Amino acid sequence: MYVCVGVKVNGFACKKDADVTENDFFFSGLAKPAVVNNTVGSVVTGANVEKIPGLNTLGVSLSRIDYQPGGLNPPHTHPRATEIIFVLDGELDVGFITTANKLISKSIKKGDIFVFPKGLVHFQQNNGKEPASVIAGFNSQLPGTQSIAVTLFASTPAVPDHVLTKAFQIGTKEVNKIKSRLAPK
Amino acid sequence: MYVCVGVKVNGFACKKDADVTENDFFFSGLAKPAVVNNTVGSVVTGANVEKIPGLNTLGVSLSRIDYQPGGLNPPHTHPRATEIIFVLDGELDVGFITTANKLISKSIKKGDIFVFPKGLVHFQQNNGKEPASVIAGFNSQLPGTQSIAVTLFASTPAVPDHVLTKAFQIGTKEVNKIKSRLAPK
Amino acid sequence: MYVCVGVKVNGFACKKDADVTENDFFFSGLAKPAVVNNTVGSVVTGANVEKIPGLNTLGVSLSRIDYQPGGLNPPHTHPRATEIIFVLDGELDVGFITTANKLISKSIKKGDIFVFPKGLVHFQQNNGKEPASVIAGFNSQLPGTQSIAVTLFASTPAVPDHVLTKAFQIGTKEVNKIKSRLAPK
Amino acid sequence: MYVCVGVKVNGFACKKDADVTENDFFFSGLAKPAVVNNTVGSVVTGANVEKIPGLNTLGVSLSRIDYQPGGLNPPHTHPRATEIIFVLDGELDVGFITTANKLISKSIKKGDIFVFPKGLVHFQQNNGKEPASVIAGFNSQLPGTQSIAVTLFASTPAVPDHVLTKAFQIGTKEVNKIKSRLAPK
Amino acid sequence: MYVCVGVKVNGFACKKDADVTENDFFFSGLAKPAVVNNTVGSVVTGANVEKIPGLNTLGVSLSRIDYQPGGLNPPHTHPRATEIIFVLDGELDVGFITTANKLISKSIKKGDIFVFPKGLVHFQQNNGKEPASVIAGFNSQLPGTQSIAVTLFASTPAVPDHVLTKAFQIGTKEVNKIKSRLAPK
Amino acid sequence: MYVCVGVKVNGFACKKDADVTENDFFFSGLAKPAVVNNTVGSVVTGANVEKIPGLNTLGVSLSRIDYQPGGLNPPHTHPRATEIIFVLDGELDVGFITTANKLISKSIKKGDIFVFPKGLVHFQQNNGKEPASVIAGFNSQLPGTQSIAVTLFASTPAVPDHVLTKAFQIGTKEVNKIKSRLAPK
């Protein structure tokens, strides 16, 4: 078999067939809800090639997302993949915005499926009274994530104020307020 | 936005941006366990481009698989995708065989993840006492499936007996016994 | 030759070889600076498959961007392409943010080249006293664009306030102020 | 030129242009019929990247298959390629099964061509009285092969009996009979 | 099964599974040597998606090339594929030129294999006393061909003389001599 | 971020995110017209992965081409990319030949755009009285180039005379004249 788990390919390892084991294709880290103790009220746990070496060159991965009541997976993009979610528990309001600036949104619940096309800004929010969780499938072994607000207001070094004031049409004072609230603690 | 839901692309439709709705990206058909009433004791329910038109050209899909106690998703391949499963409930023995004819197998349980590389023969069996179920992610909008035993012993028209007797090193009588048992009812 | 300019492929047309002309591969619409009369002070003009039918299936396109002094091409993503710019005139501060939330930025001038990797948030600002312009190359016949602030604060229908207040950690009043300023006029 | 014959890419080597020679693109190992002395009566000889280092990253390869009278290339799949065969000598019955479980089969002879779509189970049998042989083209530098009967009944370690009894609807005794007959000698 | 033989995809048709037959995957047109009666002494016969509708979307094809003694398949490129040849009969001198302008060449004979990397100029010449023939595999369903001398000196309309005089550093008189000799008869 | 600038991938390096700098995505080498002092009267300057390490795996690049009055970028191909040019200055006659041997040509001027489809022979000539220049975009990080006349008449080692006499239907004397004129000085 041709399994890249040892020599470096795409920055990841390739193994000889004889050295591959079942554990190269296994991961148990999505079994339990993550502890959610951040401002937005949601946590994403990845099951990608960084955790499952056997995924290298195979072009697929999963994530688990846990949401407190009211918790938001804030608007973000995946630069290298489409996402398709299955709701494990709870109720969510989900949406993405098209390149024609149209919001496509829906309230979904346990057992429902929703698709977020490749590279588009999207979000999910738990508007129920119970915790919610989803399993997300991606057509990339490492889809990457850019959380928009944090990307723009809490990068290192910082995006210049005048870029943000002009983009959002707000003042420097307001930019700095957002920056201070989103700063890593 | 560029969404293929109306003109035919890959045999599927493309819609103009203005006509796309949230329901083109939504599916509720995996919410409940399927009724399992067949010989092998498992049922696969797809959530692919045939059910979710917005998936067209996006390269990803999901399936749900339900297993009775003892139920088997018999050895099969997906000609166009790698599969990654997340166990919703129960316990499974899973495995795939490499092109070097090595079996890679493991017992997994609720919350675990396992990968079946693109195009390789694989199977899952519920060896617990309770029903089991998984969500499977694929890096294709329509991965396709070939269930090996049924492909070889129950196609229409039939694979010639002498191909099967020679491949499995059994007699015509035994071939016909398998054919009769696997024939569609 | 195999040129898609008449039958629909990817939603675009294919022509028979005999019907293809030089004008299917030609475009003059980037020759002059665009008139810049908007809030951000920049205008993007595309030379993609919507303008050049011969590009269909060929996977490349150009754009021209014109900037007033102080003009900003505000933070945005291209869901389907990497971008590489060549500065025709003027001086720009450019940057992109990585998925590890690191800002990669540089001041560049006439004749310089800079790369914005696929799907990542990036921006350019004219911090000089003269108009500036660039030619941008993309590895997609239709890269698509999401301008982040407008995507989040001026879509139709609107992204719910509570998504934005939580994502940016600001109040509803501030969200509505941004929404009103970014609303299409 | 960009030729991967020395540094490891995809597990194979890349060479600098100056070090590449004509022998990196040459192979003589398919010139003569292979000696066929196995149970199924056919032998496959590959001319892929393992034999021709210059094929690395180029996405194509050939094989030669030799068949005794009555010899069978038993049902198998190539997980990473479509196959197209040209009959060098003799007469063959060939077929593949679609994902809708339809057998597509035909008797072909010297000079004929037949296609086996990517990932689908297929076979060829020499039903003539003379040896037969084909040249097969693949759109992969290393297509891989899974011979179905051997994959299921002769892997190391073995596929569990209860998987096979349930899949083929036969008893353990019959499973073990097949296993013993297909075991490597 | 997903087989494009009836609706147009890539300009070719898609068929419903029920309508697909074995003849969509079959071709007998390479069985006999082509009659060679042209100036260069070789004829190429394609077995691609134009002849075998079932190849659509499958990414592979074959050709047969027949050469008289002394016959040349003149320097040409395939814009969309790598080529790998198997010599059916005779002896050939073959070569390709790298992008570093290095000629990689070899004398090969019946049963030998040689690779011509994607897009590079290559040629084969029968320097034996008997007719020769090869089967060529391509990783494209329609690789396309540009025969260099004919492309430059016998296109319709003609490439301007001053382009050719400057490129080849010859006079208009010599350009016109070549043009007249290569003109379609 | 996943940026290949240090470990070798495709023969190029990958860097850890922390080590990537803005200079990995920057290049100033196209800012000025190249000095044109060769026979054909044009010079191509590349801005590809060999100059901009951050382009590795990103699939796009640029070039600048400068032409003296009368200067020709002689007929050539890019084996791995489509090209789209934007005229910075001057007037050019440009053209490509299709696989059906049809010349598609046009006179273009400052600000115009023209497309040369993947792998096809094409050329540009400055038929104006002033120097001309273009920026060219490619959908490959390293498109490669084969200049046809030089490839055929000035490779090392040389393409055999009898290949060239037969291809161009000229005598050995004329072949050697071209060879001597195109030989590297």
Side-chain angles (χ1 to χ4, degrees), chain F residues 47-67:
Chain F
N48 53 43
V49 71
E50 294 179 336
K51 309 284 182 56
I52 307 175
L55 279 178
N56 198 16
T57 77
L58 292 182
V60 76
S61 60
L62 296 178
S63 288
R64 175 186 181 123
I65 316 171
D66 293 292
Y67 315 80

Side-chain angles (χ1 to χ4, degrees), chain A residues 97 125 146 162 174 177, chain C residues 97 125 146 162 174 177:
Chain A
I97 300 99
Q125 186 158 22
Q146 286 205 297
H162 54 88
E174 287 152 309
K177 192 161 98 179
Chain C
I97 301 101
Q125 185 157 23
Q146 287 205 296
H162 55 88
E174 287 151 311
K177 192 161 100 181

Side-chain angles (χ1 to χ4, degrees), chain D residues 101-142:
Chain D
N101 225 20
K102 181 176 173 178
L103 174 69
I104 304 282
S105 65
K106 194 166 177 73
S107 294
I108 62 176
K109 61 180 196 300
K110 183 172 177 169
D112 286 347
I113 284 172
F114 204 80
V115 174
F116 305 105
K118 188 175 182 175
L120 299 184
V121 173
H122 60 287
F123 58 90
Q124 306 103 25
Q125 186 158 22
N126 178 358
N127 290 316
K129 296 184 176 172
E130 301 296 326
S133 56
V134 309
I135 286 294
F138 300 91
N139 60 333
S140 166
Q141 66 185 42
L142 193 60

Side-chain angles (χ1 to χ4, degrees), chain F residues 114-158:
Chain F
F114 203 80
V115 174
F116 306 105
K118 188 175 183 177
L120 298 184
V121 173
H122 61 286
F123 58 88
Q124 306 103 25
Q125 185 158 23
N126 178 359
N127 290 317
K129 297 183 176 174
E130 301 297 325
S133 55
V134 308
I135 286 294
F138 300 90
N139 60 335
S140 166
Q141 65 185 41
L142 193 60
T145 298
Q146 286 205 296
S147 190
I148 297 300
V150 171
T151 291
L152 289 176
F153 290 89
S155 68
T156 305

Side-chain angles (χ1 to χ4, degrees), chain E residues 39 70 72 97 101-103 120-121 125 146 148-151 154 156-158 162-163 166-167 169 174 177 181, chain F residues 39 70 72 97 101-103 120-121 125 146 148-151 154-158 162-163 166-167 169 174 177 181:
Chain E
T39 317
L72 173 72
I97 300 100
N101 225 21
K102 180 177 173 178
L103 173 68
L120 298 184
V121 174
Q125 185 157 23
Q146 287 206 297
I148 297 302
V150 170
T151 291
T156 305
H162 54 87
V163 168
K166 188 155 242 171
Q169 297 286 307
E174 287 151 311
K177 191 162 101 180
R181 291 186 176 169
Chain F
T39 317
L72 173 73
I97 300 101
N101 225 21
K102 179 176 173 178
L103 173 69
L120 298 184
V121 173
Q125 185 158 23
Q146 286 205 296
I148 297 300
V150 171
T151 291
S155 68
T156 305
H162 54 89
V163 168
K166 188 155 241 169
Q169 297 285 307
E174 288 152 310
K177 191 162 100 180
R181 290 185 177 170

